[in-house]
């Protein structure tokens, strides 16, 4: 019996939901009645889901505690392949970044330490941009001026000379904050529910934020058969269907793709820009993986560059692009550095955007300092240059090898199909789940891929995120795994995965 | 002629508004039509105002650039007394905090540096709480476990043994983020507009966030005549009037007060808690200035302690309390450390709160590390203890002197009246504005206190925030100034202020 999963995203039938109900019953038997309950709280927060940190991850953390307490399991450790968290998986920080942070944190070290001269220069420059010469003072809400300037120069170099304006750069605490600030502009209280087009599969920050802001999610399917390309007829279909329900305002594109790992061709980007122009859509380009391109023949093209090169009328379209210190070769997730570049925005809307972030005061100054090291890294000939390049190259080359290894291994397992991981940090393979397993999942009130992921976790300690958390074509099942476990651990993980999958299929056949 | 200012808060007639209109007209004459304009953007963002970073501050920054470019002014520098940003005003960081941050940022230094042993121990402990031993990995969304544990121990010590639970602690990037996450729970889409009671004058994070979330602001006036006390009859009046318009859900109290500098008595806090209980309100206690108490006889009592000591039924009430690394003696604004302690929350609502922050991944790990140094500082006998205590005491004693100096000086100026600055970092004096000045302001489309603040800025370089930005009793005029300029600079600032005020009154009499 084949079951069609008509819920695209956001519907995770899970352990945590039943947990919640139990807790609710356990509450309120004595003491003051609660002023806020599930019944009278923000309904948008109830609806939103963020699977990357969902019930599977909660269970994985429990298992880690059980193991630490001496529980016997068929595995010794949990492998968290659920989240793009490079350092957690053993990647080493870039020395230049961390030396600069040490000096910015404790400037007394600048003269005392034997750090390279370019590290000291960079630290002094950042401190000169801080009020009172301290990273402990608030920066402007959009970030420290010299760092915005460096970001603009970085973008200009990246885009082969197409200029970027420091006034278009808004530093933020990770890309998520910047994306949310932009999306929030489209909330409307009249004129019908605003809609935002997002890819399916998507990174669940989008579905979660749209749910929270009460906006309509217009899902367009990526084409798995053509390497997760973004087909214009599908964009046309989705916006046409949405027009009766909401007012489409913006188009989100994730390139390189998360969770799907594709790198869009220049031609595909041109088509997307033309489509957005025709439909009057604002483009949000999530380009946080711009340094993570591995496949031969694949190349990163920024939406801004392609848009500017298309010339009139496209070069005056509104576009926001996001970058982050959390991804790339640096993987500095915990430091919370990011920026958005917002071009061609109406000046008064831009003033409103800047006002809207001002009440949050400023993004972390040390996160900004991290971003500064990324957009203005050591130059050839400077003392930190060779080590910086070596560390950067080592990470990216190793990721490129793992990208191949993971896709090849999955494709060697009967019942699993995986597109090449051209970029980003994830594979999103499709799995064939036997009908009996689908029934068993149903009996547990779980989506079939969630059921599969829980079985994998309990039997191997491997934590992945089921496709349901990202959305997938009805009737198909997937999962997302990062390519981040270090090579030896990844080999072990893939062996265990293969063994599990074979047994799973046997068990439910 | 007396003018009644019936707009409590949020209505800042200002240079920036006219600026916006000009920009709007300048736009859109060529190129692609804008998809987002003032007319079709989020109306809540248009409404919100955050005066602490408003038009006066924008002008102050312009003046700084004019001065740097060689412009001749009646002053040599801008004194930014508009924002509680201690390091920007020359306060030195606490050595222990910054040494720990340097080691957490660059762990290779732990063995190499000659930092004190307790600094090294603290850094190792924080790194042990980080996944992969790196501050570059994501933490749990609610923060690193050991830091939440330390925060709970800190609260337990602070409250004389009344226990705190690490599971009730949510670390956040500055208190603002925690406050906004709690307020957001009360957004409702049915059952009428939710209302939140906030003091007038208030810290504009509240008015800005309520405007953004589409919630009703129920202003209750603080009693200036009794040192900005919080009178229950006024609470009763404000909630009664609001009931027809909205559904009151929560009560915000800021103690020590911002912008008003009062420290609530235990008796007053008891009354407030009983009022909230009677009305079924959730209490948000903004207690970020808990270390900033200066006046003899004033003492900080946490809302939680008072609530617990009141016993049944009050000790089961829902309460959220906020703390920050930005204030106190450390003044680490740029590092973005904070926590909320949320007690007695319905368990399923708490799960929703945790879920709602998960899409933002985690607060900055270095901000969390900063908070750890504050809630688990060097202990007596440990190598950093003496210096830590000296630095902490020096800052707090100096602030206490400046608090007296500023109130005394303002009270010596005819036409200015200032309550004692018992705590926090601000004075909020009342000014008598001559009728002719009120007319001149009106002619410029400005509130009279905004007009006064602009005149002050242009003539002296002193940047304050007009009372309009915080709200004030109709027909009264105030301003907020920080007490943060270093003593010598503060003396100069107060002299200039006095001279300006006398001239201003002469000019408009």
């Amino acid at each position: 019996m084949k079951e069609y999963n008509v819920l695209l995203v956001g519907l995770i039938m899970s352990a945590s939901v039943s947990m919640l109900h139990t807790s609710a019953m356990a509450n309120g038997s004595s003491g003051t009645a609660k002023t806020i309950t599930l019944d009278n709280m923000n309904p948008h927060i109830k609806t939103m889901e963020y699977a990357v940190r969902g019930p599977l991850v909660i269970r994985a953390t429990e298992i880690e505690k059980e193991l630490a307490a001496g529980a016997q399991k068929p595995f010794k450790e949990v492998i968290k392949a659920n989240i793009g968290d490079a350092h957690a998986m053993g990647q080493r920080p870039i020395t230049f970044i961390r030396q600069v942070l040490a000096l910015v944190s404790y400037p007394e070290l600048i003269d005392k330490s034997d750090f390279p001269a370019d590290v000291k220069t960079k630290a002094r420059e950042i401190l000169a941009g801080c009020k009172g010469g301290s990273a402990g003072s608030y920066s402007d809400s959009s970030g420290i001026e010299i760092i915005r300037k460096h970001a603009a120069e970085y973008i200009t170099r990246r885009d082969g000379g197409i200029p970027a304006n420091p006034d278009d750069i808004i530093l933020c605490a990770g890309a998520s904050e910047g994306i949310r600030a932009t999306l929030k502009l489209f909330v409307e209280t009249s004129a019908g529910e605003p809609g935002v087009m997002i890819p399916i599969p998507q990174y669940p920050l989008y579905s979660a934020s749209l749910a929270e802001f009460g906006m309509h999610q217009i899902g367009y399917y990526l084409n798995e058969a053509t390497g997760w390309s973004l087909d214009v007829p599908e964009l046309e279909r989705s916006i046409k269907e949405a027009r009766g329900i909401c007012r489409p305002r913006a188009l989100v594109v994730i390139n390189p793709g998360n969770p799907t790992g594709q790198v869009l061709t220049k031609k595909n980007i041109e088509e997307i820009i033309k489509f957005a122009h025709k439909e009057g859509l604002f483009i949000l380009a999530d380009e946080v993986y711009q340094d993570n391109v591995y496949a031969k023949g694949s190349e990163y093209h920024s939406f801004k560059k392609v848009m500017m090169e298309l010339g009139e009328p496209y070069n005056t379209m509104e576009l926001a692009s996001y970058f982050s210190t959390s991804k790339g070769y640096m993987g500095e997730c915990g430091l919370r550095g990011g920026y958005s570049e917002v071009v061609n925005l109406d000046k008064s809307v831009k003033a409103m955007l800047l006002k809207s972030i001002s009440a949050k005061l400023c993004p972390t100054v040390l996160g900004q300092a991290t971003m500064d090291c990324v957009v203005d890294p050591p130059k050839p000939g400077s003392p930190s240059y060779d080590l910086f390049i070596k560390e950067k190259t080592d990470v990216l080359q190793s990721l490129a090898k793992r990208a191949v290894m993971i896709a090849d291994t999955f494709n060697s397992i009967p019942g699993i199909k995986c597109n090449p991981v051209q970029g980003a940090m994830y594979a999103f393979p499709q799995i064939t789940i036997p009908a009996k397993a689908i029934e068993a999942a149903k009996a547990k009130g779980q989506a079939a891929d969630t059921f599969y992921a829980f079985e994998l976790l309990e039997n191997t300690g491997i934590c992945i995120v089921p496709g349901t958390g990202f959305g997938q074509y009805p009737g198909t099942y997937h999962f997302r795994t990062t390519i981040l476990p270090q090579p030896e651990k990844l080999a072990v993980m893939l062996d265990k995965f293969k063994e599990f999958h074979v047994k799973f299929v046997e068990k439910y056949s």
Side-chain angles (χ1 to χ4, degrees), chain A residues 285-490:
Chain A
D286 180 339
E287 304 181 310
V288 299
Y289 297 98
Q290 57 191 261
D291 285 320
N292 300 98
V293 176
Y294 316 118
K296 276 195 188 115
S298 287
E299 196 185 341
Y300 164 73
H301 303 275
S302 80
F303 264 74
K304 183 178 164 209
K305 180 167 188 252
V306 176
M307 199 178 86
M308 293 302 170
E309 288 177 347
L310 277 175
E312 291 275 343
Y314 307 105
N315 57 6
T316 53
M317 286 172 70
E318 296 137 293
L319 169 79
S321 162
Y322 306 94
F323 191 44
S324 168
T325 63
S326 305
K327 310 303 169 188
Y329 54 90
M330 48 284 180
E332 293 283 13
C333 305
L335 302 183
R336 314 308 296 127
Y339 73 70
S340 50
E341 185 195 15
V342 189
V343 300
N344 291 331
L345 197 60
D346 175 279
K347 276 185 189 139
S348 19
V349 175
K350 190 162 165 190
M352 290 295 163
L353 173 59
L354 291 172
K355 185 183 72 175
S356 78
I357 61 171
S358 70
K360 299 199 284 180
L361 296 161
C362 72
T364 154
V365 168
L366 294 175
Q368 296 183 47
T370 309
M371 181 51 91
D372 194 45
C373 296
V374 172
V375 292
D376 185 39
K379 287 168 190 62
S382 71
S384 298
Y385 181 75
D386 289 346
L387 179 62
F388 174 78
I389 292 296
K390 183 187 181 313
E391 289 175 339
K392 173 178 172 175
T393 312
D394 283 354
V395 169
L396 291 176
Q397 285 182 348
S398 174
L399 285 173
K401 278 187 201 150
R402 285 178 261 170
V404 172
M405 178 176 164
I406 210 162
D408 285 353
T409 309
F410 282 129
N411 283 323
S412 77
I413 307 176
I416 302 191
K417 269 193 317 187
C418 185
N419 272 325
V421 179
Q422 298 173 319
M425 296 181 167
Y426 316 98
F428 196 69
Q430 183 170 162
I431 33 175
T432 308
I433 298 187
K436 277 190 191 163
I438 295 172
E439 279 172 50
K442 214 174 176 180
K444 278 190 121 174
Q446 284 180 343
D449 50 7
T450 305
F451 176 80
Y452 179 90
F454 269 112
E455 291 263 307
L456 177 73
L457 175 63
E458 298 290 348
N459 285 287
T460 66
I462 301 168
C463 183
I464 53 165
V465 185
T468 316
F470 305 92
Q472 52 201 341
Y473 201 78
T476 66
Y477 299 107
H478 298 77
F479 62 89
R480 186 187 84 166
T481 176
T482 72
I483 61 169
L484 294 176
Q486 292 299 303
E488 315 80 62
K489 189 173 279 185
L490 184 61

Side-chain angles (χ1 to χ4, degrees), chain A residues 41-250:
Chain A
M41 70 167 282
N42 188 336
H44 295 147
I45 288 180
K46 284 194 279 187
T47 316
M48 69 167 275
E49 291 293 351
Y50 183 69
V52 175
R53 298 214 150 185
L56 268 147
V57 188
I58 293 168
R59 177 65 191 136
T61 306
E62 280 171 11
I63 292 177
E64 278 181 331
K65 291 195 173 166
E66 291 168 16
L67 284 171
Q72 291 300 311
K73 306 261 177 194
F75 50 88
K76 296 259 177 291
E77 66 165 338
V78 171
I79 300 178
K80 287 195 171 164
N82 57 290
I83 189 164
D85 191 359
H87 291 203
M89 301 309 281
Q91 186 180 308
R92 307 279 309 145
I94 300 291
T95 303
F96 177 74
I97 294 177
R98 295 310 195 91
Q99 288 181 334
V100 169
L101 287 182
L103 298 191
V104 170
S105 298
Y106 190 54
E108 281 78 351
L109 276 182
I110 297 182
D111 292 327
K112 280 193 212 164
S113 76
D114 57 357
F115 286 177
D118 53 352
V119 169
K120 294 184 180 186
T121 305
K122 170 58 73 194
R124 284 202 188 94
E125 188 177 37
I126 293 169
L127 288 169
C130 296
K131 295 182 183 78
S134 170
S137 57
Y138 291 121
S139 75
D140 290 347
S141 302
S142 58
I144 294 171
E145 194 168 5
I146 183 73
I147 303 179
R148 290 191 286 113
K149 189 168 158 278
H150 287 155
E153 289 164 0
Y154 163 84
I155 294 167
T156 306
R157 285 195 305 275
R158 182 197 71 186
D159 289 347
I162 292 173
N165 182 347
D167 289 340
D168 289 342
I169 308 293
I170 303 175
L171 293 168
C172 40
S176 305
E177 191 179 77
I179 293 166
R180 289 166 58 85
T182 317
L183 282 177
K184 207 176 278 177
L185 291 176
F186 296 98
V187 172
E188 265 184 291
T189 47
S190 58
E193 194 177 333
V196 175
M197 299 184 69
I198 65 172
I200 301 295
Q202 53 111 23
Y203 174 54
L205 167 70
Y206 294 100
S207 53
S209 299
L210 294 178
E212 184 186 328
F213 300 154
M215 291 161 84
H216 191 83
Q217 168 187 314
I218 309 169
Y220 62 87
Y221 291 107
L222 300 175
N223 191 342
E224 186 167 11
T226 53
W228 300 114
S229 70
L230 221 151
D231 299 349
V232 171
E234 169 59 14
L235 292 174
E236 306 271 11
R237 178 208 61 80
S238 70
I239 200 168
K240 195 175 160 197
E241 285 182 18
R243 285 215 186 271
I245 311 164
C246 68
R247 189 174 167 208
R249 300 290 305 270

